[in-house]
Amino acid sequence: MTTLTSPPATLTYNARARRYTPHPLYDNSEVFRMARRQLELVAEQTELDAGVLERLSLPKRAMVVSIPVRMDDGRTQAFMGYRVQHSLTSGPSKGGLRYHPAVDLGEVAALAMWMSWKCGLMNLPFGGGKGGVACDPASLSQGELERLTRRLTEELLPVIGPRMDVMAPDLGTDEQTMAWIMDTYSMKVGYACPEIVTGKPVEIGGCVGRKEATGRGVVYTIMEALKELGIEPTQATAVVQGFGNVGSVTCQQLAARGVRIIAIGDRYGAIINPKGIDIAALTQHVASGKLLRDFPGAQRLPSNDLLTTECTILVPAALERVITEENAGRLKCRILAEGANGPTTPEADVILAEKGIFVIPDILCNAGGVTVSYFEWVQDLQQFLWSEDQVNQKLAELIIGAYHRVRKLARERKISNRTAALTLGIQKIAREKARRGLFP
Ligand code: NAD
């Protein structure tokens, strides 16, 4: 077990020269370099205290653990696990736990940074955190996943807690993962502690509507964008990459509003049906254990063609860095709604702006998840439960409010929606840091 803290300031953001020096721990990751580049772009355009920027340019704390797991065949296999807390200024750090083979420290650090900006934009009393384990969950049995998750929780005990760092599901993890973390943590402290994680099953303190919250939030922002652009939902088509938690709920919610979903892809392939895919039937098909690409109500589409399929609304809801300078010029959508975290590179952003594509940036578009996670945490701390109507109504109020704050700033300053969203998120944390001052 190793605890890594921020290195000396000279290695990081050079306030006077206003440029970053790469950091050996994080900067070998393309995703981290991308997150830092975004911060740099906002720093160039806003009046932020240079000392605060220096502090925001690296995570506050990172923990790297090796997780030994007894596999079903009797072998012992060690997996690498990471938890990064980017900021603890506004409250506990908050962010998902990801199981994916490509997970590394830099990626997790970038995702933690984005969580800080997201919580700032949404005015939630959290800093940004993220965790991950480098593993392929699809190749592990339920027993192996349970032992991995419980041992990870044990290893992270020194840095997690309801007032310190609260995890939630992300790519490759789900409600069951959160239930194992909650149980392991509760066994350690000696009482039931649901507020240690969000995105739990409702029976053990989860929040009604949390599972659907990210997809719902994506669709609330899309509906605002359609209104602004004068497009009727029933005249719109959508293409969605990813049919997991975020992608499937986004499809269901869009279909419920009359949007025609014409193409969907996941890690095993993609499908297309210009007349519209029957989302209820596809959901049933996938729930019965069959592959999306074998759905009889559509034709197969090469995965590489998915994102460049002509549509009104394109929703990447799987991995980061899928829209790059290589394919951005070929996108044929009117709205890009970023359900995934970090799907678009800064180089691609420039091309999208030239093409006039309306971008709903990730820290706004997918903020529904952390917003309802906040509702869940509050309910667990107060032991007072809300109804699903209350949850959905409050979610709509907060995310639509954030959408209009972003659009107002973007219009006033003639900046992109992404820069506006990042500016609002970063400025909120910067103000809090300035108020609290620098210890000692
Ligand atoms: P998930 O594991 O439930 O689903 C992921 C989906 O992506 C699956 O359908 C999978 O097949 C697909 N996928 C994986 N690799 C792919 C590839 N190479 N090409 C195409 N598709 C691929 O994960 P999720 O929770 O839906 O998260 C998806 C994205 O949304 C991630 O970027 C995550 O960080 C982000 N996000 C999730 C939440 C949440 O509440 N779950 C909140 C905010 C943001």
Side-chain angles (χ1 to χ4, degrees), residues 89-291:
T89 303
S90 323
S93 47
K94 184 87 195 73
L97 174 69
R98 164 177 293 203
Y99 289 176
H100 189 271
V103 161
D104 62 23
L105 182 62
E107 178 188 88
V108 174
L111 290 159
M113 196 184 258
W114 287 326
M115 282 305 293
S116 285
W117 316 151
K118 195 183 298 181
C119 294
L121 170 64
M122 297 305 296
N123 279 321
L124 304 179
F126 296 130
K130 203 77 178 192
V133 176
C135 69
D136 180 5
S139 70
L140 299 176
S141 69
Q142 278 296 99
E144 288 166 341
L145 279 172
E146 177 170 357
R147 292 192 288 281
L148 171 81
T149 304
R150 288 184 182 278
R151 183 62 189 254
L152 170 73
T153 310
E154 167 87 35
E155 299 288 351
L156 294 182
L157 281 179
V159 296
I160 57 171
R163 297 274 180 190
M164 194 143 64
D165 187 4
V166 180
M167 291 190 262
D170 192 74
L171 200 72
T173 59
D174 56 16
E175 289 188 327
Q176 183 57 65
T177 323
M178 296 304 117
W180 290 325
I181 297 176
M182 182 263 185
D183 183 64
T184 307
Y185 188 84
S186 299
M187 295 305 288
K188 292 288 160 189
V189 294
Y191 52 88
C193 186
E195 59 270 29
I196 182 63
V197 282
T198 58
K200 304 175 287 293
V202 171
E203 307 89 283
I204 56 168
C207 176
V208 283
R210 168 60 184 91
K211 200 162 67 179
E212 299 80 14
T214 308
R216 269 187 195 278
V218 168
V219 174
Y220 290 149
T221 63
I222 291 173
M223 289 301 128
E224 290 307 297
L226 287 175
K227 217 185 292 170
E228 200 179 328
L229 298 172
I231 303 169
E232 282 298 320
T234 48
Q235 300 302 312
T237 56
V239 169
V240 180
Q241 183 189 49
F243 199 69
N245 176 307
V246 181
S248 66
V249 176
T250 298
C251 287
Q252 287 152 15
Q253 294 289 318
L254 283 174
R257 287 163 176 80
V259 175
R260 197 156 35 101
I261 324 285
I262 55 169
I264 308 175
D266 70 3
R267 67 183 283 192
Y268 301 107
I271 52 173
I272 187 163
N273 181 348
K275 291 194 182 130
I277 295 168
D278 180 341
I279 299 300
L282 176 64
T283 305
Q284 261 188 353
H285 170 88
V286 172
S288 70
K290 297 185 191 131
L291 288 178

